[in-house]
Structures are given as C-alpha cells and as structure tokens.
C-alpha cells in the first residue's frame, strides 16, 4: 500500500465519496418518488420511469443492492483514509482518530445529507438515471443481493415479522 502514490489515494477517496453520495441520494430519490406520477410516466413510456418502476416492484432487492454498494464504498473510503494517515503520519493513533472523525463529517455532509436533501427536493433528477445504473448492477450482483435478503428475512422472522405476508408491491398502495 505504501507504493500507491498519494494522488491516486486521494483521487480514489474522492471517487468513493461521490459513489457514496450517488448511492445515498439515489436510494432516497427512488423511495420518495411519487407513485402516481411514476405510473403516469410509465404509461407515457418514459424509459427512466419504466426502469425505476420495475426496480421498485421488489424494493427489498433494490435496497439490498444499494446497501451493498454503499457499504463497500464507505468501507473502502475508511480504508483509504487510514492508509493516507499512516503514509503521512506513521502509526499515530491520535492522527488516525482525527482522520476518521474528519471523514465522518465529510461523508455526513457530502455523501449523506446533501444528496438525500437533493433527492427530497428533486427525486426524479436522481431516480431515473440511477435506475439505468441499478438495473444491470442488480443482474450482476443478484446472487449476493439474494443471499443478503435471505439472511435479512431470517432475522426478521426471528423477531416475528414475515415479509412474505406483507405486500411487496408498494406501488399499488
């Protein structure tokens, strides 16, 4: 890891922050979409709306995919910050703690609150382009998403919630 140039680490960190913002904002935008307007746009053959509608037919899969992506990029960002801190300041635990604190604040503002606020104000702006990205990603990562959702379903059953009894299609409510 010490062979990786600082510029590459910083560039990768910025990319991870952008991807984290994408995952957070697009998840919020897809879940916030006005279902009546979405169905109307589907009838008008709006391609982004059609993809979003199909993804929302199984929100458990969509949330599983987005969570998988978001956790991956957030963990990678934390790892990169750790490598940068060690590269610059050796193994100083105080510096590592400060670096993690700064990353937490930056991620909170840039990768969580800002994109989710944008999603609340303009959900279609993020949701429809994201649907084009999530559709192939779901095909690629379906086995992992399926396994995660299976484990989640088992955990929920342990606390007395059977998701099979709950309607999966929230679009018709």
């Amino acid at each position: 890891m010490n062979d990786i140039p600082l510029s590459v680490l910083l560039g990768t960190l910025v990319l991870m922050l952008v991807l984290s913002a994408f995952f957070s904002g697009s998840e919020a935008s897809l879940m916030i979409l006005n279902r009546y307007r979405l169905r109307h746009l589907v009838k008008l053959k709006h391609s982004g709306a059609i993809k979003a509608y199909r993804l929302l037919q199984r929100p458990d899969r969509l949330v599983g995919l987005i969570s998988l992506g978001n956790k991956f990029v957030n963990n990678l960002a934390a790892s990169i910050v750790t490598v940068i801190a060690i590269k610059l300041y050796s193994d100083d635990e105080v510096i590592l703690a400060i670096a993690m604190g700064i990353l937490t604040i930056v991620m909170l503002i840039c990768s969580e609150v800002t994109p989710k606020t944008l999603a609340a104000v303009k959900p279609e702006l993020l949701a429809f382009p994201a649907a084009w990205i999530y559709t192939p990603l779901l095909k690629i990562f379906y086995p992992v998403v399926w396994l995660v959702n299976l484990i989640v379903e088992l955990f929920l059953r342990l606390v007395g919630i059977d998701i099979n009894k709950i309607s999966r299609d929230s679009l018709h409510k």
Side-chain angles (χ1 to χ4, degrees), residues 57-79:
Q57 295 295 305
R58 289 295 304 267
D60 56 328
R61 291 179 183 165
L62 180 60
V63 169
L65 174 66
I66 294 170
S67 295
L68 180 71
N70 210 1
K71 296 314 168 234
F72 176 78
V73 298
N74 289 348
N75 288 335
L76 187 54
S79 298

Side-chain angles (χ1 to χ4, degrees), residues 25-33 35 52 56 62 66 127 130-131 134:
S26 61
E27 178 182 27
S29 67
L30 283 158
M31 296 305 152
I32 292 170
L33 278 175
R35 301 305 194 242
L56 288 167
L62 180 60
I66 294 170
Y134 288 138

Side-chain angles (χ1 to χ4, degrees), residues 17 100-114:
L17 292 171
M100 285 300 128
I102 292 170
L103 176 65
T104 300
I105 291 167
V106 169
M107 288 186 96
L108 179 66
I109 293 167
C110 298
S111 298
E112 288 292 330
V113 177
T114 301

